[in-house]
Every structure is written in C-alpha cells, then in structure tokens.
Amino acid sequence: MPWDWRILFNGALGRMMYERGVLDQTLPYDELKRQSRVTDIANRAPAEGFSDYLRAELPGYRPREAGQPDTPEEPDAPEEIEEGAQA
C-alpha cells in the first residue's frame, strides 16, 4: 500500500481504505461505518463461533471456506535446547 498520511492518523484510515477499494463499496462510507459498529453484536454473540457470528452480522464480509481457521496458524515454536547443549 503506498504511503499516505492517513496511515499514521488512525481516525482517517477507514476512509482511506474505503477510497482505495479495500472495504466494501456497496454502501456509502458513513453508512458502512455506522453498520460496522461491533459492540452490540459482540455482546450478543455466542462464545462458540464468535468470529463467524460477527462476520455474518456485519456488512462486507464473505463467508470463510469450510475448515478454514479463525486466525492464521502460528508458526511452530523453535525446539528448546537442553541445558549445556550447543546450538
């Protein structure tokens, strides 16, 4: 993404992403922002399937493929070296 002063000032980042087509363009920006407020939705979401529930309730999200994890997998942790062993 090319440099833009709005990257540094978070309050303007959403509009910049909207203008660049990163966010859903089917709604005007102000309406998308209003509908994307997550507090009330998150408060009524079940613990099981929380992320899927949010995605289903908010505009502009595409459903995930079956079996796709909520978050990217963590890389494997490096193996511990036994005390006194050389790396």
Side-chain angles (χ1 to χ4, degrees):
M1 181 180 298
W3 169 252
D4 189 296
W5 66 269
R6 294 173 290 186
I7 294 171
L8 189 59
F9 297 98
N10 300 14
L13 184 62
R15 186 171 296 276
M16 180 193 76
M17 292 176 70
Y18 181 83
E19 290 170 359
R20 292 188 179 182
V22 176
L23 300 177
D24 183 6
Q25 301 283 307
T26 60
L27 298 169
Y29 175 74
D30 291 332
E31 181 62 15
L32 177 64
K33 185 175 177 180
R34 187 188 69 73
Q35 288 187 25
S36 296
R37 292 196 178 110
V38 70
T39 304
D40 291 338
I41 297 167
N43 285 337
R44 67 177 180 263
E48 183 68 31
F50 181 82
S51 298
D52 290 330
Y53 184 87
L54 292 181
R55 287 183 190 100
E57 294 295 315
L58 295 172
Y61 287 96
R62 293 186 265 338
R64 291 181 297 128
E65 300 284 325
Q68 196 176 17
D70 277 351
T71 58
E73 290 184 22
E74 293 290 323
D76 290 336
E79 292 181 26
E80 289 186 28
I81 299 174
E82 290 181 29
E83 189 174 322
Q86 302 241 343

